[in-house]
Amino acid sequence: MFKRFHPYATPMHFHRLAMRLSPWLFALSAVLFAAGLTGGLLLAPADYQQGESFRIIYLHVPSAWMSMLVYLVMAGAGGVGLIWKVKLGDIIARASAPLGASFTFLALVTGSLWGKPMWGTWWVWDARLTSELILLFLYLGYLALQSAIEDRRAAARAGAVLAIVGVVNIPIIHYSVAWWSTLHQGATVSKFDAPSMATSMLIPLLLMALAFQAYFFAVLMVRARCEILEFEQHTAWLRAEVSGDPIA
Amino acid sequence: MSARQATTAVLHRDLRRGWRRRGDVAQPLIFFALVVYLFPIAIGPLPETLRALLPAILWVAAVLATVLTLPEVFAADHADGSLELLLTSPHPLALLVLGKIAAHWCTGAAPLLAMSAALGAILGLDAPTLAALLGGMALGTPVLALVGSLASALTVGLRGGTLLLALITLPLYIPVLIFGTAAARNAALGLPVAAEMFFLAGLSVLALTLTPFAIAAALRARLD
């Protein structure tokens, strides 16, 4: 299987593939966003307890899902780059990190905006909130390491080790934080205990999740191309590509 | 020379170096004591509050003091080039690294434990709480040393390394901090502490088995 994909795993082919794919991915995410937002903000009924405020889940939940998915993408791509020395893995890992940090930040901010009217406070020391905050710090540590190491290749490899260690640690952190918050405060604030959602509420949520994913991959293509431009700036193929007469 | 001999040689060398630079080894301890004494000054002379907070204060101060010592795990060897010799050694790098970390634990964490015992006793922790605090530290500090050495390996030779190290390591230290402080808190309330101790021991074993390989990979990633 790897052999079949291998041609696309060179920066040159990926650069072209990304250029071709990204408009389609942007279009797909726009359609999904339109459908999901219409469904979520206009069509879905207001929640019987939370009223209109619940609608923020259409941003909050997909961002929270993406914050974890992107970390996995980052660690997976980094691992591929580290173990099989596939340069594209390094590129994708580096390109994903700021996106993942942004999704995590978005999840925290939307959660906090929802918490103010619902819980009466911007922040509670709830297990999930705390784990998400730690995830943000893990992303920021990765980004800080990336910017501290000048050589891109070395930075990508060091980052891959850190991301993989992070993946091993995230479940440990998550469960220890859950342990901590039950010990600390018992049941002060319970999350709205997930009643199985009504279909009219659930479908827009799933559409939004897909929209976020399409958007992530669309932006990832653009960012990966920027990374390739910097990684490969001294190669002949890129010079030919940029000057407009293809060599291959 | 067998791999075991090589590892003990690394361990002895680092221990000897720590002994010869006793002043440098003492600095994190002074920092630790200073941080512990900053809290009463910030909180005010409220003996009951302070006694309740003391285990947490000691843990946080120990974590911060540990972070400050982390650059030294590899910095000196990187500066004089012996780290690159370790990388070219025929013996498994993970094992040699383990020798270095063991030495670092002996020169960094062990004095910190003694200092915590002294400060805890002076500032009035009762015996069960003090025992839980020190037991938790004894089981938790290997994790701090191992995970911290990984970050140290990733940042070896970088400018502004200590701050970067703190950014990388502190989120990874959270589980140890949670179980360590929970043990002391339970002991203060007269509750059993076995669960927390088992968790800390488990984390230690996990770190001991996995991080040496990650550290070896990190050193190769940075220096090859």
Side-chain angles (χ1 to χ4, degrees):
Chain A
M1 195 187 88
F2 189 66
K3 277 234 169 71
R4 197 186 322 156
F5 287 114
H6 195 64
Y8 290 104
T10 65
M12 181 173 81
H13 284 96
F14 185 79
H15 187 261
R16 290 175 188 164
L17 183 74
M19 201 135 58
R20 227 172 295 153
L21 273 181
S22 61
W24 292 102
L25 285 167
F26 273 116
L28 178 67
S29 81
V31 170
L32 286 166
F33 266 120
L37 287 174
T38 320
L41 300 186
L42 303 175
L43 301 182
D47 187 74
Y48 78 104
Q49 270 182 324
Q50 305 182 18
E52 303 291 344
S53 313
F54 97 95
R55 295 186 195 278
I56 202 162
I57 64 159
Y58 295 114
L59 292 179
H60 175 68
V61 175
S63 335
W65 284 344
M66 289 308 289
S67 67
M68 289 174 265
L69 177 73
V70 175
Y71 203 94
L72 287 179
V73 168
M74 190 174 95
V80 168
L82 185 69
I83 296 163
W84 290 290
K85 316 249 181 275
V86 180
K87 214 187 262 176
L88 191 59
D90 297 346
I91 289 166
I92 289 183
R94 278 177 65 100
S96 317
L99 293 171
S102 317
F103 281 124
T104 316
F105 185 68
L106 194 62
L108 283 167
V109 168
T110 51
S112 176
L113 286 175
W114 176 86
K116 186 62 185 166
M118 286 299 125
W119 293 338
T121 161
W122 297 111
W123 184 263
V124 290
W125 291 105
D126 166 69
R128 282 208 235 176
L129 274 171
T130 311
S131 313
E132 191 73 8
L133 183 64
I134 297 168
L135 183 62
L136 179 64
F137 283 124
L138 289 178
Y139 273 117
L140 295 180
Y142 179 93
L143 289 171
L145 182 66
Q146 292 297 302
S147 63
I149 304 176
E150 304 243 331
D151 177 51
R152 294 177 160 269
R153 188 94 187 89
R157 293 171 64 193
V161 174
L162 184 61
I164 292 168
V165 170
V167 164
V168 175
N169 262 285
I170 283 171
I172 299 178
I173 293 176
H174 180 81
Y175 286 109
S176 58
V177 167
W179 170 286
W180 163 81
S181 82
T182 50
L183 273 193
H184 247 246
Q185 54 177 24
T188 43
V189 189
S190 63
K191 311 168 291 285
F192 71 108
D193 44 292
S196 48
M197 284 175 87
T199 328
S200 58
M201 291 180 180
L202 184 62
I203 287 174
L205 183 60
L206 295 178
L207 284 174
M208 286 302 284
L210 289 175
F212 268 65
Q213 280 178 25
Y215 176 78
F216 163 66
F217 284 109
V219 180
L220 181 66
M221 294 295 141
V222 176
R223 292 193 56 91
R225 273 176 51 209
C226 294
E227 287 283 339
I228 289 173
L229 287 178
E230 287 184 38
F231 249 93
E232 305 273 291
Q233 51 184 322
H234 302 300
T235 57
W237 74 264
L238 190 61
R239 278 157 193 264
E241 189 106 346
V242 172
S243 65
D245 63 315
I247 46 165
Chain B
M1 193 192 254
S2 74
R4 201 172 64 183
Q5 283 169 321
T7 310
T8 41
V10 170
L11 173 71
H12 284 168
R13 171 174 158 279
D14 279 20
L15 283 177
R16 204 153 46 230
R17 189 167 59 193
W19 179 247
R20 284 181 189 154
R21 295 185 192 159
R22 291 184 288 275
D24 291 2
V25 172
Q27 277 177 13
L29 290 177
I30 301 170
F31 172 81
F32 172 71
L34 260 174
V35 172
V36 171
Y37 282 109
L38 283 181
F39 278 91
I41 290 170
I43 293 168
L46 310 164
E48 282 313 306
T49 319
L50 285 173
R51 196 166 304 129
L53 290 179
L54 190 58
I57 294 172
L58 286 169
W59 259 107
V60 170
V63 164
L64 293 178
T66 306
V67 168
L68 286 188
T69 64
L70 288 177
E72 281 142 42
V73 184
F74 296 113
D77 281 5
H78 179 60
D80 67 14
S82 50
L83 193 57
E84 262 141 60
L85 285 180
L86 279 190
L87 255 70
T88 56
S89 148
H91 303 299
L93 183 58
L95 216 55
L96 302 178
V97 158
L98 204 54
K100 286 191 74 65
I101 297 169
H104 181 256
W105 188 87
C106 294
T107 54
L112 218 55
L113 265 170
M115 193 78 164
S116 303
L119 284 178
I122 293 169
L123 299 176
L125 282 186
D126 53 29
T129 315
L130 192 58
L133 176 81
L134 295 178
M137 278 190 176
L139 289 172
T141 43
V143 185
L144 303 186
L146 286 157
V147 174
S149 299
L150 172 72
S152 177
L154 286 172
T155 57
V156 68
L158 294 179
R159 277 175 297 107
T162 312
L163 197 57
L164 183 61
L165 255 173
L167 266 179
I168 294 176
T169 37
L170 288 178
L172 300 175
Y173 280 178
I174 286 170
V176 173
L177 196 59
I178 286 175
F179 291 118
T181 49
R185 201 166 34 239
N186 280 2
L189 298 172
L191 298 171
V193 296
E196 282 83 2
M197 293 298 169
F198 283 134
F199 270 113
L200 283 172
L203 288 176
S204 257
V205 171
L206 190 68
L208 197 61
T209 42
L210 292 184
T211 45
F213 298 100
I215 294 170
L219 284 176
R220 291 196 197 285
R222 289 284 289 115
L223 300 176
D224 269 2

